[in-house]
Amino acid sequence: MSRPTRTARRLGPRSLACLALVGLLTACSDQEPGAFAPRGTNAAEINWLFWVMVALGTAVFVLVMVLFARSVRSSRRRDDSEHDPLAPSDATRSSRLVIGGGVVLPVVVLVPLTVMMLIVAERTSPHRADDPLEIQVIGHQFWWEIHYPDTGAVTANEIHIPVDTRVRLQMESSDVIHSVWAPQLSGKIDMIPGQTTQLEFDATEVGEYWGYCAEFCGVQHARMRFLVIAHEPDDFDAWLANETADAPAPETEAAERGAQTFIDVGCAACHTVRGTEADGDLGPDLTHLATRHTLGAGTLPNERGHLGGWITDPQATKPGNLMPPTPLSAQELLDLIDYLEGLE
Ligand code: CUA
């Protein structure tokens, strides 16, 4: 063990504990609320179970500490009076403590906890809803491909859902194991290559909820995020209708030139823009790119400047992602951005 630094010695254990607590609390900023601010049925169940476990754990801890303090005190008293520790009354007390603390207490605490856990596991499992909204989600290094079956709508890194509706994700992976976790809405489920896993959840409030990849999947695991966006049902229907439609035609001359650049410089080899000849399937479908909130799976806000930077050198912001840099003249870049910003 290294000796405490001079600062640590000056601060003392109580100040250090306070500092640690401040660090922990600042990690709970309200910019990206987590599992303790549930906005979905599953997350509320899990949050409730967590606090029950904390309460029971605290009660057991306090009980053990009280017994410990009492035993220290009584052993001191015995030392003073040179009491025989093997006296029959002490032996009975000890065996009562062993049976009480080693058998009765664990049964009383752990059996109800196990039952509660099984109930929560059942309530949050898939196959509970009769007619959920099915959405297919495919994990890629390092982004999410999202299909709305029977509609043709394809998007990326955003799962739009109607509020108060059970949604069932059918999840696959195209490469390695990923894990889907939107802490305010539900627990996490892995995506496993060669298998289809399922996650069923809902959102009980309209809003935007961050989700994360929760299984280390490579160098940009930390920048593999997504948004779950819960709409009023009518707004969701409108969003889905727009997302299902082909891309809007370019409206300006610059955007028209940009559409041609998109084909000429090779963007179309990896990306699809439905309704055009661009039908690549390595990268995200860009048919309605302009409606999305972020670029690079939550890495950057979807704004003009960031879009230009991303196209020119995506490795600068997200090293290790599969998109190569695209060398373009200034005019080509501006035209291309105009085109992409029109994909609403
Ligand atoms: Cu995908 Cu971590």
Side-chain angles (χ1 to χ4, degrees):
M1 283 274 281
S2 63
R3 288 167 55 202
T5 64
R6 198 179 300 165
T7 324
R9 277 202 302 268
R10 209 184 306 144
L11 283 174
R14 201 176 294 173
S15 316
L16 285 174
C18 285
L19 272 178
L21 190 65
V22 168
L24 278 174
L25 289 176
T26 47
C28 305
S29 88
D30 58 4
Q31 283 202 314
E32 280 185 28
F36 297 134
R39 296 290 184 275
T41 314
N42 290 11
E45 298 266 359
I46 293 166
N47 190 41
W48 171 83
L49 183 61
F50 171 80
W51 286 115
V52 170
M53 288 168 86
V54 168
L56 283 174
T58 307
V60 170
F61 177 76
V62 169
L63 182 68
V64 170
M65 286 301 115
V66 167
L67 289 175
F68 177 65
R70 279 184 54 180
S71 78
V72 169
R73 227 189 322 154
S74 68
S75 77
R76 273 206 200 120
R77 235 183 272 138
R78 265 188 239 128
D79 289 347
D80 294 345
S81 60
E82 286 184 8
H83 180 89
D84 175 10
L86 295 175
S89 66
D90 275 4
T92 326
R93 264 183 67 197
S94 302
S95 61
R96 247 192 253 145
L97 256 180
V98 168
I99 292 171
V103 180
V104 178
L105 187 65
V107 168
V108 167
V109 173
L110 294 180
V111 168
L113 206 53
T114 307
V115 171
M116 283 185 261
M117 193 202 72
L118 290 172
I119 292 172
V120 169
E122 162 60 19
R123 285 196 191 158
T124 56
S125 70
H127 313 298
R128 283 195 50 88
D130 292 333
D131 191 19
L133 171 69
E134 299 231 354
I135 301 173
Q136 186 194 17
V137 184
I138 304 168
H140 297 268
Q141 285 171 313
F142 304 93
W143 60 281
W144 314 86
E145 178 180 346
I146 294 139
H147 293 254
Y148 288 76
D150 307 325
T151 67
V154 186
T155 183
N157 308 322
E158 280 179 12
I159 303 175
H160 291 250
I161 61 171
V163 73
D164 288 327
T165 303
R166 289 302 275 186
V167 175
R168 187 180 295 158
L169 304 186
Q170 301 284 359
M171 304 186 298
E172 292 161 36
S173 168
S174 72
D175 35 50
V176 299
I177 299 177
H178 305 274
S179 186
V180 171
W181 188 30
Q184 283 193 279
L185 302 179
S186 184
K188 55 190 161 193
I189 302 282
D190 282 2
M191 296 175 141
I192 300 163
Q195 291 187 26
T196 301
T197 49
Q198 295 178 321
L199 175 65
E200 201 176 289
F201 69 99
D202 58 22
T204 49
E205 265 180 41
V206 167
E208 292 171 12
Y209 308 102
W210 278 108
Y212 311 90
C213 181
E215 178 68 45
F216 182 73
C217 55
V219 65
Q220 285 299 345
H221 158 71
R223 292 202 187 94
M224 184 168 171
R225 306 201 297 165
F226 61 95
L227 273 171
V228 178
I229 301 175
H231 300 272
E232 293 293 354
D234 289 350
D235 296 341
F236 172 75
D237 291 344
W239 174 86
L240 187 59
N242 182 65
E243 205 65 28
T244 304
D246 283 346
E251 283 183 353
T252 63
E253 269 180 38
E256 267 170 32
R257 288 195 302 270
Q260 193 55 47
T261 304
F262 191 85
I263 308 288
D264 293 344
V265 301
C267 308
C270 294
H271 296 282
T272 290
V273 178
R274 278 172 277 137
T276 73
E277 60 182 280
D279 62 353
D281 59 2
L282 276 179
D285 182 302
L286 301 181
T287 308
H288 299 284
L289 172 69
T291 64
R292 293 187 206 148
H293 293 54
T294 70
L295 301 169
T299 303
L300 296 167
N302 188 4
E303 290 164 2
R304 193 173 173 83
H306 289 304
L307 186 55
W310 179 262
I311 295 166
T312 317
D313 189 5
Q315 299 300 322
T317 36
K318 196 170 171 180
N321 87 81
L322 291 182
M323 178 159 157
T326 309
L328 295 166
S329 74
Q331 191 57 53
E332 282 172 328
L333 180 62
L334 291 172
D335 291 346
L336 189 55
I337 296 172
D338 276 358
Y339 170 57
L340 294 172
E341 286 200 312
L343 296 178
E344 291 190 329

mmCIF file of all heavy atoms in Angstrom, residues 179-196:
data_model
loop_
_atom_site.group_PDB
_atom_site.id
_atom_site.type_symbol
_atom_site.label_atom_id
_atom_site.label_comp_id
_atom_site.label_asym_id
_atom_site.label_seq_id
_atom_site.Cartn_x
_atom_site.Cartn_y
_atom_site.Cartn_z
ATOM 1 N N SER A 179 -25.436 -4.904 -26.758
ATOM 2 C CA SER A 179 -26.514 -5.021 -25.787
ATOM 3 C C SER A 179 -27.318 -3.731 -25.776
ATOM 4 O O SER A 179 -26.756 -2.640 -25.767
ATOM 5 C CB SER A 179 -25.923 -5.301 -24.398
ATOM 6 O OG SER A 179 -26.953 -5.550 -23.481
ATOM 7 N N VAL A 180 -28.635 -3.876 -25.826
ATOM 8 C CA VAL A 180 -29.519 -2.714 -25.912
ATOM 9 C C VAL A 180 -29.964 -2.313 -24.514
ATOM 10 O O VAL A 180 -30.530 -3.134 -23.789
ATOM 11 C CB VAL A 180 -30.758 -3.067 -26.767
ATOM 12 C CG1 VAL A 180 -31.801 -1.974 -26.699
ATOM 13 C CG2 VAL A 180 -30.348 -3.326 -28.206
ATOM 14 N N TRP A 181 -29.712 -1.054 -24.152
ATOM 15 C CA TRP A 181 -30.133 -0.614 -22.819
ATOM 16 C C TRP A 181 -30.581 0.845 -22.837
ATOM 17 O O TRP A 181 -29.772 1.740 -23.057
ATOM 18 C CB TRP A 181 -28.993 -0.778 -21.804
ATOM 19 C CG TRP A 181 -29.428 -0.522 -20.384
ATOM 20 C CD1 TRP A 181 -30.666 -0.738 -19.859
ATOM 21 C CD2 TRP A 181 -28.635 -0.003 -19.308
ATOM 22 N NE1 TRP A 181 -30.694 -0.412 -18.534
ATOM 23 C CE2 TRP A 181 -29.454 0.050 -18.161
ATOM 24 C CE3 TRP A 181 -27.302 0.415 -19.207
ATOM 25 C CZ2 TRP A 181 -28.995 0.515 -16.931
ATOM 26 C CZ3 TRP A 181 -26.838 0.874 -17.981
ATOM 27 C CH2 TRP A 181 -27.689 0.917 -16.850
ATOM 28 N N ALA A 182 -31.866 1.073 -22.614
ATOM 29 C CA ALA A 182 -32.403 2.420 -22.400
ATOM 30 C C ALA A 182 -32.833 2.465 -20.931
ATOM 31 O O ALA A 182 -33.935 2.030 -20.599
ATOM 32 C CB ALA A 182 -33.581 2.686 -23.333
ATOM 33 N N PRO A 183 -31.960 2.935 -20.036
ATOM 34 C CA PRO A 183 -32.176 2.748 -18.593
ATOM 35 C C PRO A 183 -33.486 3.336 -18.069
ATOM 36 O O PRO A 183 -34.041 2.815 -17.109
ATOM 37 C CB PRO A 183 -30.986 3.463 -17.941
ATOM 38 C CG PRO A 183 -30.061 3.851 -19.027
ATOM 39 C CD PRO A 183 -30.715 3.638 -20.349
ATOM 40 N N GLN A 184 -33.992 4.416 -18.679
ATOM 41 C CA GLN A 184 -35.240 4.989 -18.176
ATOM 42 C C GLN A 184 -36.456 4.167 -18.570
ATOM 43 O O GLN A 184 -37.556 4.391 -18.059
ATOM 44 C CB GLN A 184 -35.421 6.414 -18.706
ATOM 45 C CG GLN A 184 -34.561 7.438 -17.983
ATOM 46 C CD GLN A 184 -35.015 8.829 -18.326
ATOM 47 O OE1 GLN A 184 -34.665 9.356 -19.375
ATOM 48 N NE2 GLN A 184 -35.823 9.419 -17.460
ATOM 49 N N LEU A 185 -36.266 3.227 -19.497
ATOM 50 C CA LEU A 185 -37.419 2.501 -20.006
ATOM 51 C C LEU A 185 -37.417 1.015 -19.653
ATOM 52 O O LEU A 185 -38.468 0.426 -19.427
ATOM 53 C CB LEU A 185 -37.488 2.640 -21.536
ATOM 54 C CG LEU A 185 -37.582 4.078 -22.051
ATOM 55 C CD1 LEU A 185 -37.624 4.097 -23.560
ATOM 56 C CD2 LEU A 185 -38.822 4.776 -21.486
ATOM 57 N N SER A 186 -36.222 0.400 -19.598
ATOM 58 C CA SER A 186 -36.210 -1.052 -19.439
ATOM 59 C C SER A 186 -34.841 -1.565 -19.014
ATOM 60 O O SER A 186 -33.877 -0.811 -18.971
ATOM 61 C CB SER A 186 -36.600 -1.684 -20.781
ATOM 62 O OG SER A 186 -36.687 -3.083 -20.627
ATOM 63 N N GLY A 187 -34.783 -2.856 -18.739
ATOM 64 C CA GLY A 187 -33.504 -3.511 -18.510
ATOM 65 C C GLY A 187 -32.812 -3.746 -19.840
ATOM 66 O O GLY A 187 -33.327 -3.367 -20.890
ATOM 67 N N LYS A 188 -31.631 -4.380 -19.788
ATOM 68 C CA LYS A 188 -30.887 -4.556 -21.042
ATOM 69 C C LYS A 188 -30.924 -6.001 -21.515
ATOM 70 O O LYS A 188 -31.007 -6.923 -20.711
ATOM 71 C CB LYS A 188 -29.449 -4.084 -20.865
ATOM 72 C CG LYS A 188 -28.716 -4.723 -19.721
ATOM 73 C CD LYS A 188 -27.396 -4.003 -19.502
ATOM 74 C CE LYS A 188 -26.885 -4.295 -18.111
ATOM 75 N NZ LYS A 188 -25.790 -3.430 -17.713
ATOM 76 N N ILE A 189 -30.869 -6.146 -22.835
ATOM 77 C CA ILE A 189 -30.844 -7.479 -23.448
ATOM 78 C C ILE A 189 -29.750 -7.500 -24.509
ATOM 79 O O ILE A 189 -29.619 -6.550 -25.282
ATOM 80 C CB ILE A 189 -32.208 -7.812 -24.115
ATOM 81 C CG1 ILE A 189 -33.360 -7.739 -23.111
ATOM 82 C CG2 ILE A 189 -32.153 -9.176 -24.782
ATOM 83 C CD1 ILE A 189 -33.497 -8.931 -22.196
ATOM 84 N N ASP A 190 -28.985 -8.588 -24.541
ATOM 85 C CA ASP A 190 -27.900 -8.707 -25.522
ATOM 86 C C ASP A 190 -28.430 -8.977 -26.923
ATOM 87 O O ASP A 190 -29.468 -9.611 -27.093
ATOM 88 C CB ASP A 190 -26.967 -9.859 -25.138
ATOM 89 C CG ASP A 190 -26.027 -9.460 -24.008
ATOM 90 O OD1 ASP A 190 -26.141 -8.317 -23.519
ATOM 91 O OD2 ASP A 190 -25.183 -10.288 -23.627
ATOM 92 N N MET A 191 -27.648 -8.506 -27.905
ATOM 93 C CA MET A 191 -27.852 -8.904 -29.306
ATOM 94 C C MET A 191 -26.753 -9.895 -29.606
ATOM 95 O O MET A 191 -25.573 -9.590 -29.406
ATOM 96 C CB MET A 191 -27.638 -7.710 -30.226
ATOM 97 C CG MET A 191 -28.612 -6.613 -30.021
ATOM 98 S SD MET A 191 -28.115 -5.250 -31.062
ATOM 99 C CE MET A 191 -29.725 -4.698 -31.584
ATOM 100 N N ILE A 192 -27.132 -11.083 -30.088
ATOM 101 C CA ILE A 192 -26.142 -12.142 -30.255
ATOM 102 C C ILE A 192 -26.118 -12.573 -31.716
ATOM 103 O O ILE A 192 -27.172 -12.885 -32.283
ATOM 104 C CB ILE A 192 -26.481 -13.335 -29.327
ATOM 105 C CG1 ILE A 192 -26.465 -12.841 -27.883
ATOM 106 C CG2 ILE A 192 -25.506 -14.482 -29.536
ATOM 107 C CD1 ILE A 192 -27.142 -13.755 -26.901
ATOM 108 N N PRO A 193 -24.923 -12.585 -32.352
ATOM 109 C CA PRO A 193 -24.843 -12.992 -33.758
ATOM 110 C C PRO A 193 -25.457 -14.375 -33.955
ATOM 111 O O PRO A 193 -25.206 -15.281 -33.157
ATOM 112 C CB PRO A 193 -23.335 -13.020 -34.044
ATOM 113 C CG PRO A 193 -22.726 -12.146 -33.001
ATOM 114 C CD PRO A 193 -23.607 -12.245 -31.798
ATOM 115 N N GLY A 194 -26.279 -14.516 -34.977
ATOM 116 C CA GLY A 194 -26.878 -15.811 -35.283
ATOM 117 C C GLY A 194 -28.141 -16.112 -34.504
ATOM 118 O O GLY A 194 -28.749 -17.161 -34.686
ATOM 119 N N GLN A 195 -28.525 -15.211 -33.594
ATOM 120 C CA GLN A 195 -29.751 -15.439 -32.819
ATOM 121 C C GLN A 195 -30.651 -14.213 -32.910
ATOM 122 O O GLN A 195 -30.189 -13.134 -33.233
ATOM 123 C CB GLN A 195 -29.424 -15.647 -31.340
ATOM 124 C CG GLN A 195 -28.708 -16.940 -31.037
ATOM 125 C CD GLN A 195 -28.556 -17.159 -29.539
ATOM 126 O OE1 GLN A 195 -29.349 -16.650 -28.748
ATOM 127 N NE2 GLN A 195 -27.532 -17.895 -29.158
ATOM 128 N N THR A 196 -31.935 -14.416 -32.601
ATOM 129 C CA THR A 196 -32.831 -13.274 -32.456
ATOM 130 C C THR A 196 -33.249 -13.205 -30.993
ATOM 131 O O THR A 196 -33.797 -14.170 -30.463
ATOM 132 C CB THR A 196 -34.075 -13.429 -33.353
ATOM 133 O OG1 THR A 196 -33.642 -13.546 -34.703
ATOM 134 C CG2 THR A 196 -34.983 -12.218 -33.242
#
